[in-house]
Amino acid sequence: MTPQTSPTSQTSPSSPTSSSPQSAAGPRGRVARAVTTRPRLLLLLILLLTAGAVVVGGGVAERMSSGGSQIPGSESSYATAELERRWPASQPNLLLLVSPRDGTRDVDDPAVASAARDLARQLADEEAVLGVVSYWQTEDTALRARDGGEALITARIKGDEDAVDDALEALEPRYRGAHGAVDVRLGGPAAVRHASQEVIADDLVRAEVIALPVTLVLLVVVFGSAVAAALPLLVGIVSVLGTNAVLRVITEFTDVSVYAQNLTTALGLGLAIDYALFLVRRHREELAAGRDPRDAVAVTLRTAGRTVLYSALTVAVCLASMLVFEQYFLRSLAYAGIAVVLISAAASLVALPAALVLLGHRVNALRLPVGRRGGNPGAGWARLARLVMRRAPLFAVGTVAVLLALGLPFKDVRFGTADDRQLPSSTEARFVQEELRNEFPGSPGSALAVLVEGKQAAKALAEYSGEVSRLAHVVQVAGPAGRFVDGKRVDDAPPAVGYVSVLHSAESASPQSVSLVKKIRSVPASFETSVTGPAAVLADTQHGTAERLPWALAVIAVTTLILVFLLTGSVLLPLLTVVVNGLSLTAMFGAVVWVFQDGHLSGALGFTPTGDIETALPVLMFCVAFGLSMDYGVFLVSRIKEEYEIGGDHRDAVVLGIRRTGGLITAAALILAVVMVAIGTSRVTNIKMLGLGVGLAVLMDAMVVRALLVPAVLRLTGRATWWAPAPLRRLQRRVGLEEEARTTYPDIPTRTERPVSGRT
C-alpha cells in the first residue's frame, strides 16, 4: 500500500513535533503557558475557591423545591393563584387523617368527635395556617371514609414552598400521633413534598458513598496507578462542590428543583471524570512518546483539551435546551446542568494540567498489580473495528434494527404526573394518600376546582353545576348553588363563594382525569370558568411541554450540527452524529416504559408502578443522555479526524481512532454508569428512573453504538465523510480551533510498518 498524502502538514512518524508546544499562539497556547509556568499558584487559588464553595454550598438541599411542574400563565396556574389569594381553603395542602385510637369506634362517636373538634380549633389558631375545614364541622361525606373508621381535617399552610416546609416542620411534632381519643397522621401535598425532599437528600448521600469508592477502583484498573487514578476523582469532587455553591446562589433568585442536586452529583462526577480520564490518558501518551512533562501538558491541552472544550460546549447546549420550557422544574435543571458542565471542563482544563505539571513522571507512580500492563493496547478494539468495517452493511442494518426493537415499548407511553407513590411505602405521607384513594368516596386531595368569575345568576350556576355532576367519574359538585350528584341538588347552597369544587373518582394523574378536565372545560356557561387541580395541571403541562418540545429539539440539533462541523470540518459527519446519537437513546426510552410504566421488575427494583411516566422526565432524560452521548461521540470523531489528518486514509483513521479511544470510552462509560446506577438506588421512583435510564443509555452508546454502528456507518460513507464546500472549509479553519500538534506513538505501528486496515 502506498501511503496517501496527508491533508495537512504531517509530523515525523518517529518522534513528536520538535517545536516547543508551549510557544504556540492562540487561547490554548496562552492557557498552556499559564498552567505550565505557575502551577502552584493555580492550584492554591483553586484550593481556596473550593474551600469557599464548601461554605457557600452548605445546606443547598434545604433551599430546593420539589414542585415546578405547572406552566406559568396556563389556565390551571391562573386559577390556582386566584383561589390561593381569595379562598385559601379551596386549595388545602395539609391533610390530617384522624382515626379512633381504640379501633372499635367510628368517627361519629362523641368522644372521637370532641377530640377531633378540639384538634381542628387548635390547628385553626396556628399563625401559619388558613382555611381549616373538618368533617365534624361540615358533615361532608367526602371527608369521611366509607367504613366510618377515618375522617379528615383539611387546611392550607400559607406562604411559598420554603415557608410551607418551615411551618410543616414546626407543626409535625405537635399534631402527629395521639391526641386523646384519636390518632393523627399527616398527609397532603405539603407533607408529600417535604417527605420527598428528605428521602432524596438521604439517598443522595448514600449514592455518593456507593459511587466514590467503586469509581476509584475502576480508575485504578484503567490506569494501573493509584496516583493517576486519584486525579480524575479529585477533579470530580471539585466539580460537585463548585456546582453546589452555584446552585446555592441561584436559589437566591429563582426556584430550583430538588432533582437538580442529583443531576449535579451524577454529571459532576461523571463528566469531570470523563474529561480528566481523557486528558490524563493523552498526557501519559505524550510522556511515553518522549516529551518532557511541561511539553506533554501543553500538547495535551491543545489536542485532548480541544476535544474536552467542544464536548463541554455540546453537553451544555443540550442541557440549556431545557430553558425553552416554562416549568421551573426543567429550567432549574438547565441551570444546574450548565453550571456543572462548565465547572467540570474548567477544573479539567486548569486544575488537572497544573497538577500534571507538578507531578511530572510521578503521575505513573504507585503502580498496582491491576490494569493493563505491557502488551499491545487497543489491539482488540482494532480487530473489532476491522471486522465491523468488512461487514459494514450487515452491522449497520443489524444494529439499527436491534436499537429500534428495544425502543418499541415507548410507542405505548402514557404521560402523567408524580404523586405520593414515588415515595417508599413506609412513608407516612404516602400512607395517608393511599387511604384517601382506597377508603374515601373520591380523594379530596385530587379534587378539581372551577374558578367562577363574571356575573352569573343562581339558576345559571345551578344548571352548570348539575351538568358537570353528570360527567363520568364525578362524585359530586359543590359550590354557591349547593351540592349536586348526578345532576340533582342534594342540599341547599352553602355560603356563596367564587368557585365550584368537583370531587371525582378517577386517579389524579390518569387519562380519565385529564379527559374529565377537558370535558369540564367544554361545558357551556354564561360566565367565565377556569379549571385547576392536579389533573388540570397535568393537562396543561402536557400541552405546554408538547408545544415547546420542537423548539428544544431544534436548539439541540442546530447547535450540535454547528459544533461538530467546527470540530471536524465535515458536512456529513454532523448529520450522522445527530442521527446516531438519537438511535443510542432508544433502549433507554423503551426500558422506561417497559420497566417503570408497565411495572416489569418493579419488585426487584423496589418501586410502585403507576401506569404512566412523569411528563417532564423523558424530556430531562433525553437532554442529559443525548448530551452524554455527544460527549463520547466528540471523543471518538476528534481522534478519528486527527488520525485522518496524519495519514490521509479514511479506513485506517477509523480503525486507529477506535483503537486509541475504544477502551477509554468504555472505561468512561462504565464509570459514569456506576455513578448513575448509584443515583438509581434512590427510593424515589423518578430519581431511580433517571439514574438507571441514563446509565443504560450511556452503556448502550459506548458499547454498541460507538463500537459497532459508528465504524459501520463511516465505512459506508467513506472519504465523503470529510467533504465540505470550500467556503465552509475556510470558515471552519478560521473559527474551529484546529489542532496545533500531531504525534505518533510508539505502541501504534506506523503505516510504513503495517497497514492498519489489512490491505496491501
Side-chain angles (χ1 to χ4, degrees):
M1 179 185 75
T2 302
Q4 300 185 27
T5 303
S6 169
T8 61
S9 59
Q10 184 175 324
T11 60
S12 168
S14 60
S15 65
T17 50
S18 58
S19 60
S20 173
Q22 300 175 60
S23 64
R28 283 171 294 160
R30 290 191 290 272
V31 171
R33 286 193 297 274
V35 168
T36 56
T37 56
R38 293 182 175 84
R40 288 184 176 83
L41 179 61
L42 276 176
L43 287 178
L44 177 60
L45 179 60
I46 291 166
L47 181 62
L48 293 175
L49 289 174
T50 303
V54 172
V55 175
V56 174
V60 64
E62 299 173 2
R63 303 277 303 176
M64 294 183 173
S65 307
S66 61
S69 61
Q70 278 194 297
I71 303 289
S74 64
E75 179 178 324
S76 59
S77 179
Y78 167 76
T80 298
E82 285 297 300
L83 289 170
E84 287 181 353
R85 183 175 65 87
R86 297 158 65 181
W87 300 285
S90 68
Q91 300 284 291
N93 58 7
L94 177 64
L95 304 178
L96 273 60
L97 183 67
V98 181
S99 57
R101 285 198 68 190
D102 59 11
T104 60
R105 306 175 181 178
D106 63 26
V107 294
D108 293 313
D109 182 271
V112 173
S114 176
R117 291 191 187 98
D118 290 342
L119 195 64
R121 283 193 292 268
Q122 179 184 343
L123 185 61
D125 289 337
E126 299 283 354
E127 183 179 355
V129 176
L130 299 170
V132 176
V133 176
S134 74
Y135 162 72
W136 298 273
Q137 170 193 351
T138 64
E139 297 185 356
D140 185 351
T141 56
L143 301 179
R144 179 180 181 273
R146 296 183 185 90
D147 63 0
E150 297 167 318
L152 290 174
I153 299 173
T154 69
R156 180 163 192 86
I157 303 175
K158 62 184 179 181
D160 58 17
E161 289 186 349
D162 291 335
V164 169
D165 285 340
D166 292 341
L168 184 61
E169 286 186 358
L171 293 171
E172 278 181 331
R174 296 205 296 269
Y175 289 90
R176 176 183 290 123
H179 291 265
V182 299
D183 278 322
V184 178
R185 295 183 178 91
L186 273 61
V192 170
R193 183 176 64 247
H194 187 67
S196 297
Q197 291 172 321
E198 289 185 335
V199 172
I200 288 173
D202 291 343
D203 290 348
L204 184 59
V205 173
R206 186 178 67 253
E208 292 171 345
V209 170
I210 294 171
L212 290 175
V214 176
T215 296
L216 181 59
V217 170
L218 289 174
L219 287 169
V220 170
V221 171
V222 171
F223 287 122
S225 160
V227 173
L231 291 175
L233 192 61
L234 290 174
V235 172
I237 293 172
V238 169
S239 175
V240 171
L241 294 175
T243 308
N244 281 341
V246 172
L247 290 179
R248 178 61 180 82
V249 173
I250 293 174
T251 60
E252 294 292 331
F253 303 97
T254 186
D255 293 315
V256 177
S257 171
V258 70
Y259 287 75
Q261 199 170 23
N262 290 273
L263 186 67
T264 294
T265 298
L267 291 183
L269 285 175
L271 287 176
I273 288 172
D274 278 2
Y275 297 155
L277 186 65
F278 194 60
L279 291 166
V280 172
R281 179 72 169 268
R282 184 60 181 258
H283 176 71
R284 296 175 83 191
E285 289 176 355
E286 297 296 338
L287 291 177
R291 295 191 187 277
D292 68 70
R294 291 180 186 274
D295 283 356
V297 166
V299 172
T300 297
L301 282 174
R302 294 202 310 274
T303 53
R306 172 180 182 263
T307 301
V308 167
L309 179 60
Y310 271 103
S311 173
L313 290 174
T314 306
V315 176
V317 166
C318 290
L319 296 173
S321 65
M322 290 187 286
L323 292 174
V324 307
F325 298 97
E326 296 177 280
Q327 306 100 302
Y328 85 70
F329 166 73
L330 290 175
R331 295 177 70 88
S332 66
L333 292 171
Y335 304 142
I338 294 170
V340 75
V341 170
L342 297 182
I343 292 174
S344 297
S348 300
L349 294 174
V350 178
L352 179 62
L356 291 174
V357 170
L358 292 179
L359 285 170
H361 288 280
R362 287 171 296 184
V363 71
N364 296 317
L366 297 180
R367 285 194 172 275
L368 303 174
V370 293
R372 182 179 293 277
R373 307 291 294 274
N376 192 359
W381 289 102
R383 287 193 295 271
L384 176 61
R386 293 190 200 102
L387 171 64
V388 171
M389 296 177 78
R390 283 197 301 269
R391 302 286 187 269
L394 176 64
F395 277 97
V397 173
T399 305
V400 170
V402 170
L403 291 173
L404 292 177
L406 291 174
L408 278 178
F410 193 70
K411 66 182 178 60
D412 298 321
V413 65
R414 293 184 297 276
F415 294 109
T417 190
D419 59 22
D420 58 280
R421 287 170 291 181
Q422 295 282 316
L423 294 170
S425 57
S426 59
T427 308
E428 182 178 274
R430 173 172 173 174
F431 174 82
V432 172
Q433 301 303 119
E434 293 278 12
E435 288 295 291
L436 294 180
R437 271 192 296 272
N438 300 330
E439 305 299 334
F440 284 71
S443 171
S446 64
L448 297 170
V450 183
L451 177 65
V452 176
E453 297 179 293
K455 295 181 179 179
Q456 70 273 346
K459 181 179 179 182
L461 187 55
E463 291 175 352
Y464 173 81
S465 300
E467 190 66 27
V468 171
S469 72
R470 293 188 184 95
L471 298 175
H473 303 294
V474 173
V475 175
Q476 72 171 28
V477 177
R483 278 210 300 269
F484 292 78
V485 176
D486 292 331
K488 299 178 181 179
R489 192 195 305 268
V490 295
D491 60 17
D492 294 330
V497 293
Y499 66 92
V500 172
S501 177
V502 181
L503 198 65
H504 61 90
S505 59
E507 291 283 354
S508 61
S510 66
Q512 292 81 10
S513 62
V514 172
S515 175
L516 176 60
V517 170
K518 294 177 180 178
K519 290 177 181 177
I520 293 174
R521 288 174 172 173
S522 65
V523 172
S526 58
F527 40 83
E528 295 181 9
T529 61
S530 304
V531 183
T532 188
V537 171
L538 173 59
D540 291 339
T541 299
Q542 290 177 340
H543 175 74
T545 302
E547 193 174 56
R548 296 296 183 103
L549 184 59
W551 291 101
L553 296 177
V555 168
I556 292 174
V558 171
T559 53
T560 298
L561 292 173
I562 292 172
L563 288 171
V564 177
F565 167 74
L566 293 176
L567 175 70
T568 64
S570 163
V571 171
L572 179 60
L573 198 52
L575 296 172
L576 293 177
T577 301
V578 171
V579 173
V580 167
N581 282 9
L583 285 171
S584 71
L585 308 185
T586 54
M588 176 184 73
F589 285 122
V592 161
V593 171
W594 191 77
V595 175
F596 290 95
Q597 175 181 290
D598 298 342
H600 298 97
L601 305 180
S602 59
L605 296 177
F607 68 92
T608 302
T610 60
D612 53 56
I613 300 297
E614 165 76 40
T615 302
L617 199 59
V619 175
L620 169 63
M621 295 176 71
F622 173 84
C623 294
V624 172
F626 191 91
L628 295 175
S629 178
M630 281 300 305
D631 191 37
Y632 300 136
V634 167
F635 286 176
L636 178 57
V637 299
S638 66
R639 194 57 183 259
I640 292 174
K641 176 179 181 288
E642 182 179 343
E643 298 296 341
Y644 179 68
E645 291 188 339
I646 292 173
D649 185 279
H650 174 70
R651 280 180 285 181
D652 285 356
V654 173
V655 173
L656 283 169
I658 291 175
R659 180 178 186 170
R660 297 307 300 173
T661 62
L664 179 66
I665 289 175
T666 301
L670 284 172
I671 290 169
L672 184 55
V674 165
V675 176
M676 298 307 303
V677 169
I679 295 293
T681 62
S682 173
R683 292 166 292 167
V684 175
T685 306
N686 275 354
I687 301 292
K688 188 186 298 290
M689 189 189 312
L690 173 65
L692 298 182
V694 174
L696 174 63
V698 166
L699 292 177
M700 290 295 296
D701 180 73
M703 296 183 177
V704 177
V705 173
R706 303 297 157 197
L708 302 179
L709 184 57
V710 169
V713 171
L714 292 182
R715 173 65 181 89
L716 295 174
T717 56
R719 290 179 64 92
T721 303
W722 309 105
W723 177 84
L728 288 180
R729 174 69 69 179
R730 288 193 293 271
L731 174 65
Q732 189 266 344
R733 286 174 177 169
R734 282 200 300 270
V735 301
L737 296 177
E738 282 291 309
E739 296 283 3
E740 299 170 21
R742 302 283 181 262
T743 307
T744 56
Y745 304 99
D747 62 333
I748 299 182
T750 63
R751 291 165 181 78
T752 58
E753 295 171 338
R754 179 175 60 81
V756 175
S757 62
R759 294 172 289 139
T760 58

